[in-house]
Amino acid sequence: MTNADGAAIIKQAVDIVDLIGQVVPLRRAGRRHVGLCPFHKEKTPSFSVDAENGFFYCFGCGAGGDVLTFTMKHWNLTFSEALRYLADRYNLTLPETGRDNEQVRKERDAMFAVLDEACDFFYRELHHSESGKAAREYIKKRSLPENTVERQRLGYAPNAWDVLLRHFRHRGLDPRLGVKAGLFVEAAKGSLYDRFRNRLMFPIADDRGRVVAFGGRSLDGSEPKYLNSPETAVYHKGRTLYQFAAAREACRELRQVVLVEGYLDLLAFHAQDFYRVAATLGTALTATQVRLLHRIADEVVLVYDADPAGRKAMFRALPLFLDEELAVTTVDLPSGMDPDDFLKSEGIGAFEKLMETRRDLGSVAIDDALSSWDGTSVGKGRVIQQLQPILGGVSHPVLRSGYVRRVAERLALSEDVVDRQLASGKAGASGPRRPESTRWAERMQPPSTGVQAVASPEETLVRLMVRHPVLIDEVRTAGVLERFAASSLRSIAEALFQAVDRPEAFDPRSVYERLAGDEARALFSRLLLEDDTDDLEFCRLVLHERMASLRRRDAVQRRAALQAAIEEAEKNGDFARLQELLREMQSIHKVESRTQTGIR
Ligand SMILES: [Zn+2]
């Protein structure tokens, strides 16, 4: 195993905003996070982090890279040390070099193998055993289609303390591995027993489709209704969402994802061929999960149970979305229904209709609080108090003023009073914040843009390709690469060309991997993190202008070289050579006049 495998695991698992956020305070600004650079002294933030792709860049001092580069630079570590440090900090098991780590990797693989084996076992129990009958009936009652049950490899854990354990012994599998994978529980005296008993089993897979955990629904009313695998070396609850891989795939076109609370709610969507949906795993939503959703979507539609508990859970999650500046909306299911009920009785068509009526969750929370107002002045204070933990931390001026106006109008108070009341008191549910005024004042400061002020044509071309991957092919087919002078930019362009085959699935991470050298990598991080307000057509115009100017620059240089060669040939009386050179000169003139009239 090589360090590269370890690096891949680290980069997938470590949230760059989480890591850097522990070193310097970061705030979301558009699709980036910004803060004061930890690598040079500054008063206004020029340090940016791209959470989606896992890069950082400082426009002040030029430091840039990924989680590993950051760790090496900040803690002054070597590459291998940085790997170990991050693995340690985030409780990850790394397939590193060396015998110990080979051991660890083998154990992880063995855990995947026993989890898969358990998955097969539960599957067989569901389909072929006498004891699985109740579970089969339950599935029928919930009208889960056969192909969904198959595709998700649903299963049944029999009602006994040691059936899976006996199966392990029978197959010669090490029960200790089953303990590590969360399948068995160790009793006080050291004896083992099955964790899941008499439960319908939902396998939970990681990004690569490997089973890492299970959720088990009780079939006999015993508590808890849902029992999940514990945290293990391969399963991290707060960083996992049920069916995230399928949702990521489905969100490529429309960056909007539905979030539900339950396994069955989610599968009801899959059963109707709707895959832009993920589910929390029976625990409160975490900030990391919200960032995970932001990677694949620009809007999250919460569809929780239409009861007081579901509403409460949604409002509790609101600050996480506001903090991440990720649009969050919700729909009104008929009272008392859950998404599963609704889809079964009304169908996906009705759901999509309902989606058209979705509302901003902040406004829903305000209306909810206002509906409890008793009309008294004291009651006004209570309404604001109720809203304070939800809205008190909103720093985005447009969102905030909208919310404040809504509350002020309804309570017949001045906006100023409402704003101050919301800002005072306890800090928001997402933790202490700095005063809103300083946050936005800083954010509006343009980054110190010394670096990008004098961009070469190469740099502009590469920047435009990074910003709009659909343009990559236009540059590639124009054949201007040979005219590139700067080697880092050239290597980025080459890496982009290699990635061009599926521009809709353009993955900056894999381009980054192809780059050789820190300079190219830092530069690429910078290009990714620069502001990108220009639209595609404008960028296309600039692109062709810059390609033309590259050709012109190239022509000027070639003409100078030719001129020297012509003089040399004349001096030597080499007429054959002279003629050849003059022909070449002519062709350069042709290219020049073409590019000057704007014809490509
Ligand atoms: Zn810096």
Side-chain angles (χ1 to χ4, degrees), residues 287-364:
T288 305
Q289 287 170 329
V290 170
R291 278 199 290 274
L292 206 58
L293 290 168
H294 205 169
R295 281 191 193 172
I296 63 166
D298 299 323
E299 180 192 345
V300 179
V301 187
L302 298 191
V303 186
Y304 287 13
D305 294 357
D307 59 22
R311 273 175 109 70
K312 211 167 149 197
M314 283 200 293
F315 296 153
R316 214 172 27 227
L318 180 61
L320 297 176
F321 288 97
L322 294 174
D323 222 23
E324 176 69 14
E325 287 184 22
L326 175 57
V328 57
T329 54
T330 184
V331 295
D332 275 324
L333 292 178
S335 178
M337 270 199 176
D338 63 27
D340 184 32
D341 300 330
F342 183 83
L343 286 171
K344 278 196 193 105
S345 62
E346 311 291 326
I348 194 72
F351 179 77
E352 297 203 347
K353 269 246 154 57
L354 196 64
M355 287 277 275
E356 288 166 16
T357 67
R358 68 190 188 278
R359 296 170 61 211
D360 168 63
L361 184 61
S363 308
V364 174

Side-chain angles (χ1 to χ4, degrees), residues 36-42 46-47 57-63:
L36 294 173
C37 178
F39 301 119
H40 82 281
K41 274 203 156 55
E42 62 175 0
S46 39
F47 183 81
Y57 186 76
C58 173
F59 291 93
C61 67

Side-chain angles (χ1 to χ4, degrees), residues 228-247:
N228 283 309
S229 296
E231 295 271 320
T232 68
V234 297
Y235 174 55
H236 309 283
K237 218 172 271 193
R239 293 203 290 271
T240 311
L241 287 163
Y242 185 51
Q243 297 296 337
F244 181 74

Side-chain angles (χ1 to χ4, degrees), residues 458-477:
E458 288 98 329
E459 185 178 322
T460 307
L461 284 176
V462 170
R463 177 183 298 122
L464 292 172
M465 289 193 284
V466 169
R467 198 164 301 176
H468 295 292
V470 291
L471 295 174
I472 296 171
D473 208 39
E474 292 180 35
V475 178
R476 182 170 66 166
T477 51

Side-chain angles (χ1 to χ4, degrees), residues 454-577:
V454 279
S456 65
E458 288 98 329
E459 185 178 322
T460 307
L461 284 176
V462 170
R463 177 183 298 122
L464 292 172
M465 289 193 284
V466 169
R467 198 164 301 176
H468 295 292
V470 291
L471 295 174
I472 296 171
D473 208 39
E474 292 180 35
V475 178
R476 182 170 66 166
T477 51
V480 292
L481 190 62
E482 59 189 41
R483 299 176 211 271
F484 268 46
S487 64
S488 303
L489 287 162
R490 193 191 172 104
S491 94
I492 296 175
E494 280 169 349
L496 290 170
F497 290 171
Q498 284 165 22
V500 80
D501 294 327
R502 292 179 64 200
E504 76 282 2
F506 178 76
D507 178 10
R509 289 167 207 249
S510 65
V511 175
Y512 183 90
E513 292 307 320
R514 289 200 189 98
L515 297 175
D518 292 344
E519 199 191 331
R521 288 182 165 195
L523 183 60
F524 182 65
S525 310
R526 182 186 116 207
L527 295 172
L528 271 175
L529 283 160
E530 283 170 356
D531 285 324
D532 60 345
T533 43
D534 299 330
D535 72 23
L536 175 63
E537 281 320 304
F538 177 75
C539 288
R540 180 171 273 134
L541 274 177
V542 176
L543 183 89
H544 286 288
E545 195 282 318
R546 306 274 46 188
M547 286 200 287
S549 90
L550 254 188
R551 289 194 199 94
R552 280 197 299 272
R553 191 186 71 191
D554 195 48
V556 168
Q557 285 165 356
R558 275 175 62 204
R559 203 169 44 190
L562 268 177
Q563 197 59 46
I566 287 171
E567 279 163 25
E568 180 80 15
E570 277 175 339
K571 210 164 65 188
N572 299 339
D574 185 347
F575 291 104
R577 172 89 180 123

